[in-house]
Amino acid sequence: MSQILIKRAKAEQLLSGEGWLSVQPRTFREEVLRRAVLLRFPPGEVVYRIEDEAGGIFGLVEGTVTVNTAPPDQAPQLIHIGKPGAWTGEGCFLTRSARRIELRTLSETWMMHLSLDQMDQMAAADPAATRYFAQILMASVEVLLRVIHDLQKPGADQRIASALSRSAAQGRTVPLSQSEIGLMSGTSRKQVNAALARFEAKGWVRADYRAVTVLDARGLAREAEGGV
């Protein structure tokens, strides 16, 4: 069996077990996977930009992607790191408008892509598909609510721990610089440097050059909630 077929099988298994697609009806889930294509992106690739023409949805299988956005008259800023199992791009299907976020890879990344045309075909065959696709939007709203909540925390260490908790699961390495972590947490590079040193001393993370590995997700989560 070829490596691509093995990768495809693993991708379908992951997306069937995590995130938005995993909680959809079996027949709908199988139809999405049957119609979707598996794509590979090199590090630093822009999957799509703000104001790109309308397109379909992408499900993260492996790798790291940044979600960047801003008001129309501002430059896109990093607000979130996608986790495997997460999907995005539903806005074009729901509104028929151009892209409102930028998606960019930080490492070699594999994503499942369902085109806008395929989404339209599924919705025409089964009107309930529109409701299922709209649930991606609600998952995105939950992420934004979490980002806002985390940025309102009073302590710099809390906000930094929260940003890392949102970005990486246990044992996962995220290729983020200290400046990028600061951008996500509303803190300075100096504050991030000091916090990472404290977190590393407690065994919660391992900080390397432009990368952080989460070693103790629970400890990090407790710090994010003020040590509760």
Side-chain angles (χ1 to χ4, degrees):
M1 183 179 293
S2 72
Q3 290 296 316
I4 294 298
L5 289 178
I6 293 172
K7 180 71 72 173
R8 172 84 193 199
K10 289 184 176 180
E12 293 188 2
Q13 182 180 28
L14 183 143
L15 294 175
S16 295
E18 296 185 30
W20 161 74
L21 193 60
S22 69
V23 298
Q24 302 309 316
R26 180 180 59 81
T27 53
F28 174 82
R29 182 170 65 246
E30 291 175 349
E31 189 65 9
V32 167
L33 294 174
R34 185 183 72 81
R35 292 171 177 262
V37 295
L38 182 62
L39 302 176
R40 175 193 171 277
F41 298 90
E45 182 88 355
V46 176
V47 180
Y48 54 77
R49 292 181 171 86
I50 294 175
E51 296 301 330
D52 275 359
E53 65 180 23
I57 55 176
F58 290 83
L60 180 59
V61 174
E62 183 179 295
T64 306
V65 295
T66 63
V67 179
N68 314 290
T69 193
D73 58 342
Q74 301 293 320
Q77 299 285 344
L78 170 64
I79 62 168
H80 186 59
I81 299 291
K83 290 184 178 180
W87 290 76
T88 190
E90 74 289 343
C92 296
F93 171 77
L94 297 172
T95 67
R96 301 292 139 168
S97 58
R99 298 289 191 186
R100 277 295 297 120
I101 66 171
E102 177 186 87
L103 211 61
R104 185 185 297 266
T105 66
L106 288 181
S107 60
E108 180 181 75
T109 297
W110 291 82
M111 303 184 80
M112 199 73 87
H113 174 56
L114 184 67
S115 71
L116 185 58
D117 179 62
Q118 292 292 336
M119 295 173 75
D120 286 340
Q121 290 182 33
M122 291 180 65
D126 179 8
T130 298
R131 184 171 73 253
Y132 303 146
F133 287 131
Q135 290 177 25
I136 303 175
L137 174 62
M138 297 314 300
S140 299
V141 169
E142 290 295 332
V143 169
L144 290 176
L145 290 174
R146 171 56 61 181
V147 170
I148 293 169
H149 172 75
D150 289 346
L151 286 173
Q152 291 176 332
K153 293 175 179 177
D157 280 13
Q158 283 182 271
R159 298 198 300 277
I160 293 165
S162 296
L164 293 174
S165 293
R166 291 198 311 270
S167 304
Q170 180 83 25
R172 187 179 180 217
T173 298
V174 179
L176 286 175
S177 69
Q178 292 184 5
S179 295
E180 289 166 332
I181 295 171
L183 187 61
M184 292 179 65
S185 58
T187 57
S188 68
R189 187 178 182 280
K190 182 178 180 180
Q191 287 174 312
V192 173
N193 183 275
L196 289 179
R198 287 190 288 271
F199 296 171
E200 195 163 23
K202 293 179 179 180
W204 298 341
V205 304
R206 183 179 68 248
D208 301 304
Y209 177 69
R210 294 187 63 86
V212 177
T213 302
V214 174
L215 304 177
D216 182 355
R218 290 184 178 180
L220 200 60
R222 285 194 298 271
E223 178 66 22
E225 296 307 318
V228 177

